[in-house]
Amino acid sequence: SASMVEKAKSGHPGGAMGGADFINVLFTGFLVYDPKNPRWEGRDRFFLDPGHMSPMLYSTLALAGKFSMEDLQGFRQWGSVTPGHPERDILRGIENTSGPLGQGHTFAVGAAIAAKFLKQRFGDCMDQTIYAFISDGGVQEEISQGAGRTAGHLGLDNLIMFYDSNGIQLSTKTREVTEEDVAAKYTAWGWRVITITGNDATQIRAALTEAKLEKERPTLIIGKTVMGKGAVKADGTSFEDETETHGQPLSAAGASYEKTIENLGGDPANPFVIFPEVKELYEKRAAELAEIVAKKYAAKEAWAKQNPEAAQKMQQWFDGYVPAIDWAGIEQKPNQATRAASATVLGVLARQVENMIVSSADLSNSDKTDGFLKHTRSMKKGDFSGAFLQAGVSELTMACLCIGMTLHGGVTAACATFFVFSDYMKPAIRLAALMELPVKFIWTHDAFRVGEDGPTHEPVEQEAQIRLMEKLQNHHGHNSMLVLRPADVQEATVAWKMAMENKTTPTGLIFSRQNINDLPAKVNRYTEALQAEKGAYIVEEDENYDVILLASGSEVSTLVEGAKLLKAEGIKTRIVSVPSEGLFRAQSEAYQQSVLPAGKRKFGLTAGLPVTLQGLVGDKGRIWGMNSFGFSAPYKVLDEKLGFTPENVYNQVKQLTVNS
């Protein structure tokens, strides 16, 4: 680990050196996985929270045969498989992308919840242990409270977390930042806490053995470790326990790299080697794993013969199978809020998608995920037969829990809150997009029409923010996220259809609080709403139209009413619903031009920032949007005061056509 950082002239050696003893014991004596089948659903999972300690993980996985010495020497370089912070790579044993502190161990809690959910349904085939590794920084990040509280409350005895307590942070000693009693905190949350010397292999082994026997609570092993263990100066005196080794190569920190490697028993001229006794240790573990896994596979095969339907179901769930849904047959009440339409769909999904887990941040009766809850029950300690997770008021935690469930596999995860509180979730959404995980994010109360709650609860800039993810490409060259804001109840059904069929990126579903008039239908509104699958489509138009009116969500119905006023004046319109600009831009140029031809005048209406529609309307068009925070008043009053009325659509388009 020290040599990787030294060669790269960049990285974090100290923590990796101090944490090496724990991860070595874990991989050589406890972690159960199949080296020949990395995707085996019954494997234990290891989630690293402090991604800056990647040299420790890469080194250990190299000893286990997942990386070569050349891979380690390419640390942090262009095109290497060893980036600065670990990125999910199941084939090489990396379960999660990590870096932003606090999220990685919260993923582990989510994975432990998924494992409990699946064990309730498939028995000991899902009897795996979820291991997590956290640092001083991760304990301090506020998300650790949500993760700790949730794991303790649910009694996740299948979760074992090692806290690498070395007392050193990037810029200070930890004591300069906090004096909290971490053991007392986790005990209060319902965890079992074991404190050991974290560099003593015997104590590590004993603690892990004890933790594996725990059947009521998650376990936190507090390992008092030494930052930069083994580091020395040029004169051979110790350079351990120094802040400087946290975030820079040993030589830059003030230690002697050469003397340190010698002190650790290596050759500074040739440090990338595996010692014979270490090779033997990992080969021994490989042989043990072969026996352990063979027994696990035999037990699974016997279970499958006794339970063929369950075995087939488990395979389907881990393959990402979603049962066929009769989307056209979902009956929506007309002219309802899209959050109500979402509730109707969730009721269907609760009955037909058996492996779907939905969570809400203490808002299920308001974000209408109670449409799902009515057909299941909440998860409880000792009872994971339900499929609803009451996350409490903790949006970031909830998002990461759902990401962790998805990382575990075998389940479809969705979580909900008010759209304005998506601000709390952005770091998690970003990692979900980076990992290309199909988590469903449900956001209701989509605009200033939250009304009386006032500006603290009225999203204005949030849509512009989240739609940036539609413009950001993932490493496969696709939009990193699908964001959908449906315009009526039938578009809401189609939005859910698209979300469930999207298996490669997160989906954001933005729903209204207030009722919305259904858009006009030529023949069948649902069939016509299916055009939303192209991101934008023509709702209705006059022959030889003069101007295109475009919007997403509830503003589309306002355009429809405004178009009636314009038509009475002889101004002909085309109305376009754009639930997803990102998806629309992924269509052929011919389709884009057929919907929004370049030469036509355009007017956009948005309850968000005008920039939300700028790329669609262009510089020669006009956009009516919000340029300030909202206000506290009934939403119909706000519509009137803020200009979201058919009359203002008429006025704005009149000015556009007159001035063009």
Side-chain angles (χ1 to χ4, degrees):
S1 294
S3 299
M4 290 168 66
V5 176
E6 197 72 26
K7 189 173 191 305
K9 297 183 174 60
S10 171
H12 303 254
M17 296 167 74
D21 291 301
F22 172 80
I23 197 170
N24 178 60
V25 171
L26 177 68
F27 271 75
T28 57
F30 292 87
L31 192 74
V32 174
Y33 64 98
D34 184 354
K36 296 178 180 177
N37 179 16
R39 298 188 186 278
W40 169 44
E41 69 280 349
R43 69 188 182 278
D44 291 345
R45 273 96 165 149
F46 174 72
F47 289 85
L48 182 68
D49 188 289
H52 62 270
M53 292 175 68
S54 59
M56 176 188 76
L57 180 59
Y58 296 146
S59 296
T60 306
L61 291 170
L63 299 178
K66 299 290 187 180
F67 289 94
S68 68
M69 292 298 104
E70 289 73 24
D71 292 334
L72 300 191
Q73 292 181 68
F75 180 54
R76 290 183 167 234
Q77 305 309 302
W78 175 263
S80 77
V81 293
T82 48
H85 290 74
E87 296 175 22
R88 187 186 186 214
D89 187 345
I90 301 301
L91 296 181
R92 288 191 172 90
I94 299 174
E95 298 283 355
N96 64 294
T97 297
S98 59
L101 293 177
Q103 292 195 52
H105 85 292
T106 312
F107 298 159
V109 177
I113 292 170
K116 283 287 189 183
F117 175 90
L118 293 166
K119 185 176 181 179
Q120 182 94 32
R121 288 149 181 80
F122 302 124
D124 286 344
C125 289
M126 288 286 106
D127 194 31
Q128 65 269 66
T129 301
I130 310 300
Y131 295 94
F133 188 109
I134 196 172
S135 65
D136 290 301
V139 168
Q140 289 164 32
E141 276 289 357
E142 290 85 346
I143 192 176
S144 68
Q145 173 166 317
R149 170 182 56 78
T150 303
H153 176 69
L154 293 175
L156 300 179
D157 57 283
N158 59 341
L159 175 66
I160 299 172
M161 183 161 73
F162 180 76
Y163 167 29
D164 180 47
S165 178
N166 58 42
I168 301 288
Q169 302 188 192
L170 183 63
S171 62
T172 68
K173 301 276 187 180
T174 303
R175 64 174 177 267
E176 296 178 39
V177 174
T178 178
E179 296 176 11
E180 72 176 359
D181 186 336
V182 174
K185 182 170 71 173
Y186 277 85
T187 300
W189 284 330
W191 289 59
R192 180 176 193 174
V193 179
I194 305 169
T195 302
I196 62 171
T197 300
N199 296 119
D200 185 316
T202 301
Q203 289 188 40
I204 295 169
R205 216 171 277 118
L208 284 168
T209 301
E210 197 176 326
K212 284 283 289 179
L213 296 173
E214 174 61 50
K215 300 302 178 189
E216 294 289 331
R217 301 165 289 178
T219 298
L220 176 70
I221 300 171
I222 300 178
K224 300 292 185 179
T225 60
V226 178
M227 168 68 71
K229 187 171 186 293
V232 296
K233 302 176 188 175
D235 62 5
T237 58
S238 174
F239 200 77
E240 296 178 333
D241 196 34
E242 296 291 342
T243 304
E244 287 74 16
T245 65
H246 185 294
Q248 58 186 328
L250 293 177
S251 59
S256 168
Y257 165 72
E258 291 78 11
K259 289 292 184 182
T260 297
I261 297 301
E262 289 176 359
N263 185 48
L264 294 171
D267 177 4
N270 185 27
F272 290 94
V273 296
I274 301 176
F275 298 160
E277 64 272 23
V278 178
K279 184 172 183 287
E280 182 182 342
L281 177 65
Y282 277 80
E283 286 176 346
K284 178 173 175 288
R285 181 56 179 172
E288 291 171 354
L289 285 172
E291 290 184 18
I292 293 168
V293 170
K295 290 178 182 177
K296 294 269 189 182
Y297 283 169
K300 179 186 172 185
E301 188 177 349
W303 168 80
K305 286 181 179 177
Q306 292 290 321
N307 304 276
E309 290 183 9
Q312 182 186 20
K313 187 180 292 184
M314 187 172 82
Q315 186 63 50
Q316 287 178 332
W317 289 6
F318 276 93
D319 287 343
Y321 167 80
V322 176
I325 306 291
D326 179 15
W327 298 102
I330 295 176
E331 293 186 15
Q332 295 283 10
K333 292 181 181 178
N335 307 318
Q336 295 291 299
T338 51
R339 65 168 174 163
S342 173
T344 300
V345 175
L346 283 168
V348 173
L349 297 178
R351 296 190 295 273
Q352 297 189 30
V353 185
E354 295 178 76
N355 66 330
M356 189 169 183
I357 298 174
V358 174
S359 184
S360 176
D362 194 41
L363 288 169
S364 58
N365 54 343
S366 198
D367 59 34
K368 295 303 176 185
T369 49
D370 58 0
F372 189 92
L373 181 56
K374 287 171 183 173
H375 300 281
T376 182
R377 65 184 68 84
S378 296
M379 298 175 180
K380 293 180 173 61
K381 181 178 180 177
D383 180 8
F384 288 80
S385 58
F388 198 92
L389 175 62
Q390 294 285 8
V393 186
S394 52
E395 292 85 357
L396 176 56
T397 298
M398 174 182 68
C400 286
L401 294 176
C402 287
I403 291 171
M405 295 177 203
T406 307
L407 286 169
H408 180 280
V411 301
T412 296
C415 57
T417 186
F418 289 174
F419 191 29
V420 75
F421 300 139
S422 65
D423 281 348
Y424 286 119
M425 308 166 77
K426 300 281 170 47
I429 297 165
R430 187 175 189 275
L431 278 192
L434 185 58
M435 290 187 278
E436 302 180 23
L437 300 175
V439 179
K440 323 303 177 192
F441 295 102
I442 305 166
W443 295 307
T444 67
H445 297 60
D446 67 336
F448 63 80
R449 298 178 185 92
V450 175
E452 292 90 339
D453 278 344
T456 60
H457 283 55
E458 294 173 15
V460 174
E461 75 279 19
Q462 280 72 19
E463 185 178 356
Q465 291 173 353
I466 205 67
R467 287 202 185 278
L468 291 174
M469 302 301 289
E470 291 190 307
K471 296 177 171 64
L472 183 68
Q473 303 291 292
N474 60 32
H475 286 159
H476 281 100
H478 303 132
N479 294 351
S480 72
M481 188 171 181
L482 174 64
V483 180
L484 300 166
R485 186 170 177 242
D488 65 3
V489 294
Q490 296 299 343
E491 260 194 37
T493 297
V494 174
W496 262 114
K497 176 179 184 289
M498 295 163 70
M500 295 303 289
E501 291 173 354
N502 178 19
K503 299 180 181 181
T504 56
T505 74
T507 301
L509 298 161
I510 306 171
F511 297 123
S512 75
R513 173 193 184 230
Q514 84 288 355
N515 291 344
I516 301 174
N517 290 332
D518 290 348
L519 299 185
K522 299 180 185 72
V523 179
N524 179 282
R525 178 65 197 128
Y526 170 77
T527 302
E528 291 159 25
L530 283 172
Q531 296 174 90
E533 293 180 330
K534 291 188 175 181
Y537 68 100
I538 301 164
V539 174
E540 67 173 7
E541 63 181 342
D542 299 320
E543 191 175 351
N544 299 318
Y545 65 92
D546 302 299
V547 61
I548 299 173
L549 313 183
L550 61 97
S552 72
S554 54
E555 289 85 273
V556 182
S557 64
T558 306
L559 294 179
V560 171
E561 295 305 310
K564 293 176 183 176
L565 301 178
L566 290 164
K567 193 169 186 178
E569 287 273 324
I571 298 174
K572 299 176 181 179
T573 62
R574 166 185 281 186
I575 297 172
V576 174
S577 175
V578 192
S580 170
E581 180 186 352
L583 189 57
F584 177 62
R585 294 304 187 194
Q587 306 306 312
S588 68
E589 186 66 30
Y591 179 77
Q592 292 182 51
Q593 284 297 314
S594 73
V595 177
L596 296 176
K600 284 288 186 177
R601 288 170 292 191
K602 302 178 183 71
F603 170 75
L605 183 66
T606 174
L609 296 173
V611 71
T612 306
L613 297 179
Q614 189 64 52
L616 296 164
V617 172
D619 295 333
K620 295 180 180 179
R622 176 174 291 213
I623 302 170
W624 186 265
M626 292 286 290
N627 286 302
S628 74
F629 293 113
F631 303 89
S632 180
Y635 82 87
K636 290 185 178 180
V637 173
L638 291 177
D639 270 337
E640 193 71 36
K641 296 291 187 182
L642 298 174
F644 288 82
T645 62
E647 291 76 17
N648 192 44
V649 170
Y650 167 85
N651 291 333
Q652 294 298 318
V653 175
K654 279 279 285 184
Q655 292 177 40
L656 175 64
T657 54
V658 168
N659 296 331
S660 297

